[in-house]
Amino acid sequence: AKDTWSGTTNDKDDFAQGIVGLNNVWAMTQPWTGGTAKRIADETEFFARTQFNFYKEIGNYYRNELGCKQVINASNWTTADTTRLNDIERWTYAANDVLAVNKYTGGVHTGDNNGWRIDPGHHFTAESCLLNPRNLPTNLKQTVGHPMLVTESTWVSPEPYQSEGPMLIAAYSALTGLDAFYWFSATAPQYESDPYFNFLNSNGQHPLYKWTCSTPTLIGSFPAAALMFRKGYIREGKPVVHEERTLSQLWQREIPAISEDRSFDPNRYAGNTVEKNAIKNGIDPLAFLVGPVEAKYGGDPSKSIVTDLSAFVDHNARTIKSNTGEIALDYGIGLCKINTTRAQGATGFFAKAGEVKLSDLSLKIANEYASVAVVSLDGLPLATSKKALLQVVTTARPTGWSSKPSEFKSDDGKQSFKGFEIEKTGKMPWRMVTTNGTVSLRTSTLSKATILDAAGFPVKMVEGIDHTNGRLSFQLPADAMYILLD
């Protein structure tokens, strides 16, 4: 070992007693030369193989000794350096059936106890993924030959722009081949009717839950999004990046061609914002929104393939198109359009976008922000479908909620933000911004529109339907989230 490492030692070594000291993990996050580089590479391999073998041993114990039939996921959730070490981490997970990550998105949220509750006096920013697409939780480098899951995620409250979440996850999970996405946390099977802790804070108000997806804007957006994804209405794209890396490259911690940004997790990382990877001359990280990005570990680097992204990503126009032609994101305006045969819609800042025209659907939405989708319920193309779901979700807050514009510092005082200060956390019921807009759908078969309640039962017919020139057009009801078209 001493010869291989050119005599490099540390203060934990006692070679005479057969003891080889280990360096601090920090050393694996740095570039080295000479004997130190060889030593740190060997240490990295030692740690990686130890972790891989542990996962494999425990997996075999679950499967063969205990007789567990479930799929097994090994995960340490995060590593010390996303760019240099994440590929090694994923290689160790491949000892078992499926790979997984926890990956959230949301804005800055500061204040006492902000890790688990929302109180008056807290500050937050409103940050839509539509304007910051690198924050999308589906931006994952997937391992060839293994399913990929996101086992915890949400648009973390008090983020107001939540209704985009289910639509974006459905669209980009389908596009990239992400296999499952677990929303955290379903505190109720419907809209949470009491999203408050039962004690009063110093302002005499009840703190709000922070970690719930049972809001009208999240769980309320599930029906159309789930149909798109589960019915396969959005196609999976061809890989835009297929990167093969030798194990030696992993142990040397060579910089990969493309890397994910570090996951957003306000309870586990210092600071208030997501750390971006800084690979120089690497592949554009917006590739994750064009199609699947995959890696093969222990492969042949000469077989790596990178698609020319110029036809899909326009940084000047701030637009990204999927390589299937079915998803188009304008991250300048903040609008994503889904345009398939059986599912069409858009989510984002409609007031800036103007009229949105898709293959069969036209949307004129006056709301600043909303998510609107029409999805076939009978599996037929929308133009000939005899039953379809129209879903409209805006933004929601509890009754009496109030906040005001504010400038504030990060928890460590090193960053400044423009956002909002919470004045009141309010009370139930939820209040949804009323819908203001019209829809027009090209159809030869649909002629009626029926408002549905949250459980999918009919409430009343929509009046003022115009069914001429092969289109079904009407003013969206101000207070309806779900409308059956038949």
Side-chain angles (χ1 to χ4, degrees), residues 6-118:
S6 303
T8 300
T9 62
N10 68 30
D11 58 7
K12 301 181 182 67
D13 289 335
D14 188 350
F15 287 163
Q17 298 299 317
I19 295 172
V20 180
L22 294 171
N23 287 284
N24 187 285
V25 172
W26 172 85
M28 292 192 293
T29 71
Q30 306 299 312
W32 301 99
T33 58
T36 302
K38 295 177 182 178
R39 177 167 186 160
I40 299 304
D42 284 346
E43 288 189 14
T44 302
E45 181 178 1
F46 168 75
F47 278 120
R49 292 193 182 277
T50 300
Q51 184 162 299
F52 178 96
N53 290 335
F54 170 79
Y55 289 150
K56 187 173 183 179
E57 178 184 356
I58 295 299
N60 287 335
Y61 174 71
Y62 282 142
R63 179 79 73 237
N64 300 322
E65 293 193 43
L66 298 183
C68 296
K69 296 181 180 179
Q70 300 93 326
V71 292
I72 297 173
N73 156 231
S75 184
N76 197 36
W77 298 131
T78 190
T79 190
D81 186 311
T82 301
T83 300
R84 290 185 180 273
L85 302 178
N86 214 43
D87 282 348
I88 304 173
E89 188 77 7
R90 297 280 169 81
W91 174 80
T92 70
Y93 298 169
N96 294 129
D97 303 325
V98 299
L99 276 64
V101 296
N102 290 357
K103 195 167 187 178
Y104 292 88
T105 191
V108 175
H109 175 208
T110 65
D112 292 342
N113 302 308
N114 66 323
W116 56 282
R117 61 194 253 196
I118 300 168

Side-chain angles (χ1 to χ4, degrees), residues 17 39 50 67 88 98 142 174 181 206 209 279 292 347 389 391 396 408 411 482:
Q17 298 299 317
R39 177 167 186 160
T50 300
I88 304 173
V98 299
Q142 301 185 52
F181 190 94
H206 291 283
Y209 297 160
I279 300 177
T347 178
L389 172 67
Q391 179 176 288
F408 61 97
D411 290 330
Y482 313 110

